[in-house]
Amino acid sequence: MDLCDTPEEAEFRARLGEWLAEVLPTLPARPAPDDWPGRRAYDLGWQRMLHDAGYAGVHWDASPTLRMVFLEETEKAGAPYVGANFVGLLHAGPTIAAEGTAGQRARWLPPILRGEQVWCQGFSEPDAGSDLASLRTRARRDGDAYVVTGSKIWTSHAEVADWCELLVRTDPDAPRHRGLTWLALRMDADGVTVRPLRTLAGSAEFAEVFLDEVRVPVADRVGEENDGWRVTMVTLSFERGTAFVGEVVACRRVLGELARTARRNGRWDDPALRRRLGRLDAEFRALWRLTQWNVSEAEASGGVPGVGGSVFKLRYSHARQELYDAAAEVLGADALDLDRPWVLDRLSALSYTIAAGTSQIQRTIVAERILGLPRGR
Ligand SMILES: Cc1cc2nc3c(=O)[nH]c(=O)nc-3n(C[C@H](O)[C@H](O)[C@H](O)COP(=O)(O)OP(=O)(O)OC[C@H]3O[C@@H](n4cnc5c(N)ncnc54)[C@H](O)[C@@H]3O)c2cc1C
């Protein structure tokens, strides 16, 4: 693996940097954290600008290394986060690109790239989180449609989503992992009810989704009937392996801001804090290198990230929590004030060791599939 830019990468980096310097000052003000319609419009608007400038497909069409350059430069410049486009761009879209038919790719991918449609993920259920294969939402075949009944929970961005990557049980008699199917569900279909859930930080970023006899055309199935577990593993490998990597650069930016704040408010004089920030800097540098390694591996094996994504996700989610704990130390009593920088981020960091598969589950994957330790019962 060569970590230096090729001439093509250096040229891409320079061109992107110039474009960002030109357009970022023209962006409208960011909407309030709980203004989800406003956030949807803002995030889709940014995606449309990327599209019009020729950068929209960088997550999919460009080589993984160019994609890393893109993430690095956009984060460094303080460009908007992928936001409501997270599922569509970073794991539903890549899954459709890898597993969908030519017709499905032509139908669903361009609107994601043009910033016209938001996707959400309907995998978890009240009794099926870590043990996803125990899910009970049922889809029964009726002519050219599936009739879906059940409920999903923790569905991020469901309130503002147009489509949902939905995992359902199509064969209740098959072994648990073999009776599942991956469907694309229209969120405005009859029988879909979304009930927002409020988080500790006060935001309704996810929801419960109730499905009552919802008809989903068979044509909207990705992969074969009852092969949904395999398709889901592709989705999760994108979600754990590559979806969070841009955030590593953002964390390094926050770390720099923390150090500057600590210098201003006198906390920099504490050698223990300086050591802590230095260790975190080393952590995030190492995570970035690990990401580059994972991406090179994916590039060599057809584009779908491998099990190394679990190593990244495990360490990154904890390092992010340590970063925001350090932020609380720098802020002192201000860390209790929700209007201060980083305080909401600190609360949301708590969710990182749960979302996209908990740390315990990632450890099991690492133990069994990388270290080759015996399987648990
Ligand atoms: C911010 C956020 C956003 C989310 N967004 C979505 C979304 O958009 N779509 C979606 O479908 N889901 C989403 N989720 C749900 C997420 O995938 C689940 O919360 C996660 O998989 C854990 O499931 P659970 O909450 O049911 O916990 P449980 O599975 O009940 O786990 C409870 C505890 O038991 C531990 N545990 C469980 N099984 C084992 C085991 N075999 N070995 C060791 N320990 C174990 C877990 O690690 C955890 O500590 C989101 C979650 C969060 C926090």
Side-chain angles (χ1 to χ4, degrees):
M1 178 182 61
D2 183 357
L3 296 177
C4 298
D5 281 354
T6 62
E8 185 203 6
E9 286 156 12
E11 199 269 328
F12 176 81
R13 194 186 288 280
R15 200 160 33 87
L16 175 62
E18 279 168 28
W19 180 75
L20 289 168
E22 193 186 310
V23 299
L24 291 183
T26 70
L27 288 181
R30 290 185 196 219
D34 207 19
D35 173 9
W36 284 98
R39 286 179 68 168
R40 173 189 155 107
Y42 183 87
D43 296 342
L44 289 178
W46 171 240
Q47 179 59 25
R48 206 155 30 245
M49 286 172 79
L50 288 171
H51 175 267
D52 293 348
Y55 292 113
V58 86
H59 293 291
W60 306 343
D61 304 339
S63 70
T65 36
L66 271 193
R67 194 180 148 231
M68 301 288 286
V69 173
F70 174 83
L71 290 172
E72 216 173 357
E73 290 305 310
T74 45
E75 277 299 342
K76 265 201 250 163
Y81 176 59
V82 66
N85 298 309
F86 185 88
V87 172
L89 273 177
L90 300 182
H91 52 89
T95 304
I96 292 164
E99 297 291 332
T101 62
Q104 289 173 335
R105 290 198 293 272
R107 181 172 158 218
W108 284 318
L109 300 187
I112 295 175
L113 290 180
R114 288 196 297 262
E116 291 168 358
Q117 286 175 353
V118 167
W119 283 64
C120 63
Q121 180 189 66
F123 285 2
S124 304
E125 296 184 4
D127 291 320
S130 302
D131 188 13
L132 184 58
S134 66
L135 67 85
R136 290 208 292 251
T137 292
R138 179 80 173 93
R140 137 181 88 71
R141 185 84 176 249
D142 179 26
D144 59 359
Y146 292 101
V147 180
V148 183
T149 297
S151 72
K152 297 288 172 178
I153 195 166
W154 316 126
T155 315
S156 303
H157 307 143
E159 245 191 309
V160 293
D162 306 286
W163 287 90
C164 176
E165 49 178 19
L166 183 75
L167 193 60
V168 294
R169 186 163 301 285
T170 30
D171 183 352
D173 300 322
R176 291 174 348 132
H177 296 82
R178 303 226 183 97
L180 301 172
T181 299
W182 200 108
L183 300 176
L185 163 78
R186 288 189 71 98
M187 291 298 282
D188 63 358
D190 285 345
V192 178
T193 306
V194 175
R195 192 158 71 196
L197 294 164
R198 200 155 284 279
T199 67
L200 179 68
S203 165
E205 68 188 47
F206 43 36
E208 291 174 283
V209 177
F210 299 95
L211 305 161
D212 182 15
E213 300 271 302
V214 182
R215 291 187 76 82
V216 178
V218 171
D220 293 354
R221 183 188 74 214
V222 174
E224 295 301 315
E225 185 171 295
N226 297 327
D227 194 26
W229 186 253
R230 190 191 58 76
V231 181
T232 297
M233 290 306 108
V234 172
T235 308
L236 292 180
S237 68
F238 282 113
E239 187 175 2
R240 293 167 185 165
T242 48
F244 294 110
V245 298
E247 297 184 15
V248 174
V249 189
C251 285
R252 288 183 64 190
R253 185 162 44 79
V254 170
L255 200 55
E257 289 168 14
L258 273 186
R260 282 190 289 280
T261 305
R263 281 200 181 91
R264 277 199 304 274
N265 71 13
R267 288 178 195 268
W268 190 250
D269 295 339
D270 176 0
L273 176 74
R274 291 203 303 273
R275 248 195 323 274
R276 194 168 170 188
L277 297 185
R279 198 181 55 73
L280 277 168
D281 186 46
E283 283 270 6
F284 285 113
R285 281 169 195 268
L287 278 165
W288 186 248
R289 293 302 181 214
L290 174 65
T291 300
Q292 287 177 310
W293 189 79
N294 282 342
V295 159
S296 303
E297 291 278 290
E299 202 165 19
S301 59
V304 179
V307 75
S310 285
V311 180
F312 169 81
K313 203 270 171 182
L314 180 59
R315 190 55 214 139
Y316 167 64
S317 52
H318 288 270
R320 188 179 174 97
Q321 290 176 351
E322 289 161 26
L323 170 70
Y324 286 105
D325 284 348
E329 196 179 324
V330 170
L331 286 175
D334 287 343
L336 299 173
D337 178 354
L338 286 181
D339 292 329
R340 293 279 168 177
W342 312 312
V343 178
L344 283 176
D345 293 324
R346 183 176 185 222
L347 293 179
S348 86
L350 296 174
S351 70
Y352 274 67
T353 46
I354 303 171
T358 67
S359 292
Q360 286 83 356
I361 295 304
Q362 307 313 317
R363 285 193 193 96
T364 300
I365 293 171
V366 171
E368 292 178 357
R369 295 184 46 202
I370 298 182
L371 302 177
L373 296 176
R375 285 184 167 270
R377 286 164 193 266

